[in-house]
Amino acid sequence: MRNVLLIASAVLAATGLAGCAGSAEPSAGGTTPAAAPTNPCKADDFKVTGDFGAAPKVEIPSCKPTEELIIKDLVVGTGAEVTKGTTATVNYQLTTFSDKKVLDSSFKRGKPFDVENVGQAPVIDGWNEGIVGLKEQGRRLLIVPPAKGYGEGGNGIQPNETLVFVIDGVKVTPAA
């Protein structure tokens, strides 16, 4: 019987399952972390649920973050379209890719955010590029790579973090 337990322990250790039975957390003894995913993320890998105007639920996939800005309309709006120079009033939620945490949400604050002079606004490049074309009453998914986000970090963002935004177009105001 002792040999069976030793063999079972060896198999569990070799497969990285030792200490994990009945728990989603790795044991304190430390198991070898799973290999990082090698397939780059695509827009359709991200699952977003919830209706326009309400805080979304975002599921972050197990894929490798891309170096490209990903833009996907989840709901195509029916109103005015954001163009360079306009003011976009939006609601948004920011989820960090690495730890899958909601870091910021205007939905939860109950106050939309104004992006004045889109294209030259004092926001991250991913927003200046990524909200162009969003229409009122539309919902958009933006996956922002570090180079178009906060890069080395800041504002509570870890260095080289990929940012996942869900953005609702509330109102578009033409440039003055």
Side-chain angles (χ1 to χ4, degrees), residues 80-84 86-88 118 131-135 171-172:
E81 184 174 321
V82 176
T83 59
K84 289 184 178 182
T86 59
T87 295
V118 171
I131 65 172
V132 171
L134 176 65
K135 292 182 179 181
K171 182 179 178 185
V172 176

Side-chain angles (χ1 to χ4, degrees), residues 77-159:
T78 57
E81 184 174 321
V82 176
T83 59
K84 289 184 178 182
T86 59
T87 295
T89 302
V90 300
N91 272 311
Y92 68 91
Q93 178 175 289
L94 164 60
T95 305
T96 50
F97 187 91
S98 66
D99 60 10
K100 302 168 177 52
K101 290 184 180 176
V102 174
L103 198 60
D104 191 15
S105 175
S106 69
F107 292 101
K108 293 195 177 178
R109 283 192 302 277
K111 184 171 181 358
F113 178 70
D114 289 332
V115 183
E116 296 177 2
N117 193 18
V118 171
Q120 299 296 317
V123 295
I124 60 173
D125 291 343
W127 270 50
N128 271 314
E129 295 175 32
I131 65 172
V132 171
L134 176 65
K135 292 182 179 181
E136 291 176 352
Q137 304 303 306
R139 174 167 275 193
R140 182 168 280 185
L141 173 69
L142 286 183
I143 313 302
V144 181
K148 293 187 184 284
Y150 290 102
E152 294 301 316
N155 294 338
I157 306 293
Q158 296 181 43

Side-chain angles (χ1 to χ4, degrees), residues 45-49 56-62 95 97 100 164:
D45 294 332
F46 294 81
K47 303 299 178 217
V48 179
T49 54
K57 180 174 177 2
V58 178
E59 292 180 35
I60 307 291
S62 294
T95 305
F97 187 91
K100 302 168 177 52
V164 181

Side-chain angles (χ1 to χ4, degrees), residues 153-176:
N155 294 338
I157 306 293
Q158 296 181 43
N160 299 311
E161 180 68 72
T162 296
L163 310 173
V164 181
F165 287 97
V166 175
I167 301 173
D168 283 1
V170 176
K171 182 179 178 185
V172 176
T173 306

Side-chain angles (χ1 to χ4, degrees), residues 68-79:
E68 302 297 320
L69 177 65
I70 296 175
I71 302 168
K72 179 183 179 185
D73 282 327
L74 302 170
V75 174
V76 177
T78 57

